[in-house]
Amino acid sequence: MAPHLLLVLDILFFLTGLSDTQRVSTVSHVSVKRGGSITIPCLYNQRYRNDVKYWCRGYYWLGCSTVVRTDHQKTSRKTSISDDINQRVFTVTMTSLSPSDSDYYWCIVERKSKADDGVILQISVPPGTPELYVDQQQMTGVVGGSVTVLCYYSSQGSSGRWCRMGGPCVAVGHYGALDGTFVKLVQEESRTSNGYVLMVTMSGLMMENTGWYWCEKGDIQMPVHITVNQPTTTQSTTTITPSVTNRDNVVTNENTDEKHQSLLEVLFIPLSLLVVLIAVTLVTLKLLRKHKDKKAKDQPPNTTVQPADPENDITYSTVSHTRGTAKQDLNPERHGDLYSTVIPMQHRTAQRAAEPDGGLQHSGPTPEIQ
């Protein structure tokens, strides 16, 4: 069939779909890493909940080739499809992508007795770095907390935006709210890749924020799904960020930092006590040593006392008495004199050697004992 005839038929189907004001919406153009995967969300109207959805490849709607359908086998080689009727979105996931997968695709709703409704998008798989990509397409946060998404792009170009699928957008340099949640966008040069990074932070999360969003740079978008849960005893309302390796490519998960911080706090107390104990012990030993040295310095020098030699220290004396009466007055002026001769040991020894019997010689009679 001629391309121009297919285009006319596509326009007719499009106008038929507009008659019921029912539309399917999705991103317009995504760029994917070689060997990577991509999940494409296709949002549809409430009236399409029970209809069959399918994924079709090809530029022209009537000539596109159906890849997967929700009413048949939901996987085909490396492509799968699923339908969430509560969120009114069906998703298509393609894995192990290669440059040969670069093409136009369609999100289509098959309607009974009416023309199908669908929307076209383009998927590019460049051999090098994609023009716009994220490390994670699935992010999780808790009510009252926040979540940060890092969107990488190869050239600065136009300002980036963060959009809610089927809803409003917030541009770089502006602060805004999406469904009551505060959104902040920071755009700067990346330190780990040859390009730039768009940092999107959503704070004050609510359950209503669960859904699909996308980063936008020029005519390229990258869809990201955010799931908001109720906080539990093991969760905190802190920022949930992707685990990467520096400021723009390494943002550590804060829940892990809190565990490390708690461990450091537990170890800090005993280590501090140990340091204090060691310091007190060293000061005490120093004071004791100083006191001991001072005491030794103040003590007088040791005086050695030679033991007494019993032979050298013995002296002998010759005592002479002047006989008198028992009632004699002992006053030396009135009566006789009392003489005492002290002979040192060495002289006495010489004297003993001179005496024939070696005995002791007393001068004078032995006094009577009254």
Side-chain angles (χ1 to χ4, degrees):
M1 188 177 291
H4 65 275
L5 180 57
L6 289 175
L7 179 60
V8 171
L9 292 176
D10 286 343
I11 294 174
L12 291 175
F13 274 94
F14 174 75
L15 294 175
T16 304
L18 284 179
S19 62
D20 289 338
T21 64
Q22 307 297 329
R23 293 294 297 156
V24 179
S25 61
T26 187
V27 293
S28 60
H29 186 189
V30 296
S31 182
V32 189
K33 290 182 180 180
R34 184 175 184 175
S37 61
I38 186 68
T39 298
I40 303 296
C42 304
L43 186 67
Y44 56 82
N45 189 274
Q46 178 73 17
R47 294 177 60 180
Y48 292 169
R49 291 182 58 183
N50 300 321
D51 292 326
V52 175
K53 290 86 178 178
Y54 62 97
W55 179 252
C56 199
R57 178 175 181 173
Y59 182 77
Y60 297 103
W61 187 340
L62 294 181
C64 70
S65 174
T66 300
V67 182
V68 286
R69 295 171 57 96
T70 56
D71 60 342
H72 292 162
Q73 185 178 0
K74 297 184 179 181
T75 59
S76 176
R77 293 178 59 196
K78 54 184 182 181
T79 306
S80 61
I81 188 171
S82 62
D83 187 12
D84 185 348
I85 61 175
N86 294 322
Q87 295 292 326
R88 297 181 293 105
V89 59
F90 71 93
T91 56
V92 177
T93 300
M94 300 177 66
T95 61
S96 303
L97 292 171
S98 64
S100 61
D101 294 311
S102 299
D103 207 340
Y104 288 90
Y105 295 84
W106 291 82
C107 295
I108 302 176
V109 175
E110 186 179 75
R111 299 191 297 170
K112 298 177 182 179
S113 68
K114 292 184 180 181
D116 294 349
D117 191 6
V119 62
I120 192 172
L121 69 145
Q122 182 182 0
I123 296 179
S124 300
V125 185
T129 304
E131 296 182 55
L132 176 64
Y133 66 95
V134 294
D135 290 329
Q136 300 179 38
Q137 273 195 277
Q138 301 286 335
M139 302 294 295
T140 304
V142 295
V143 173
S146 59
V147 64
T148 299
V149 180
L150 301 178
C151 304
Y152 301 95
Y153 50 96
S154 56
S155 59
Q156 190 170 8
S158 59
S159 298
R161 295 199 306 169
W162 176 253
C163 303
R164 175 75 184 257
M165 180 171 285
C169 298
V170 177
V172 172
H174 297 82
Y175 299 94
L178 296 178
D179 298 328
T181 298
F182 180 77
V183 179
K184 178 182 178 182
L185 277 70
V186 177
Q187 181 175 282
E188 59 186 22
E189 187 174 355
S190 174
R191 297 180 180 178
T192 58
S193 62
N194 296 325
Y196 302 86
V197 60
L198 176 64
M199 183 180 298
V200 181
T201 302
M202 297 179 63
S203 56
L205 294 173
M206 300 180 294
M207 294 294 294
E208 295 79 6
N209 298 132
T210 296
W212 282 96
Y213 300 78
W214 70 61
C215 293
E216 182 177 279
K217 193 68 177 175
D219 63 342
I220 300 179
Q221 300 89 33
M222 177 53 63
V224 176
H225 186 268
I226 295 178
T227 302
V228 181
N229 300 317
Q230 290 289 348
T232 63
T233 55
T234 58
Q235 291 177 314
S236 60
T237 57
T238 55
T239 302
I240 307 299
T241 59
S243 186
V244 285
T245 54
N246 53 42
R247 185 176 178 273
D248 52 301
N249 203 23
V250 176
V251 181
T252 306
N253 190 298
E254 293 190 3
N255 290 335
T256 303
D257 289 340
E258 289 178 358
K259 293 180 181 178
H260 291 169
Q261 184 176 359
S262 299
L263 180 58
L264 291 175
E265 290 176 354
V266 171
L267 293 176
F268 178 76
I269 296 176
L271 289 176
S272 300
L273 293 176
L274 180 60
V275 171
V276 171
L277 180 60
I278 293 175
V280 171
T281 302
L282 292 176
V283 171
T284 304
L285 291 175
K286 187 175 181 179
L287 291 176
L288 288 175
R289 181 176 296 176
K290 185 176 181 181
H291 178 71
K292 184 176 180 181
D293 293 343
K294 183 178 180 182
K295 185 176 181 181
K297 184 178 180 181
D298 294 341
Q299 184 177 359
N302 246 348
T303 302
T304 303
V305 180
Q306 297 294 335
D309 189 341
E311 293 184 359
N312 294 334
D313 290 347
I314 297 176
T315 58
Y316 294 86
S317 63
T318 301
V319 181
S320 298
H321 294 274
T322 304
R323 181 180 297 276
T325 60
K327 296 180 180 180
Q328 186 178 1
D329 190 348
L330 295 178
N331 189 339
E333 296 180 358
R334 298 174 55 188
H335 303 285
D337 296 329
L338 175 62
Y339 298 94
S340 172
T341 303
V342 180
I343 303 174
M345 179 61 190
Q346 55 270 26
H347 299 291
R348 189 61 181 172
T349 303
Q351 183 178 355
R352 278 168 137 187
E355 293 179 0
D357 55 357
L360 297 175
Q361 181 178 1
H362 299 273
S363 63
T366 302
E368 293 181 2
I369 298 174
Q370 298 296 329

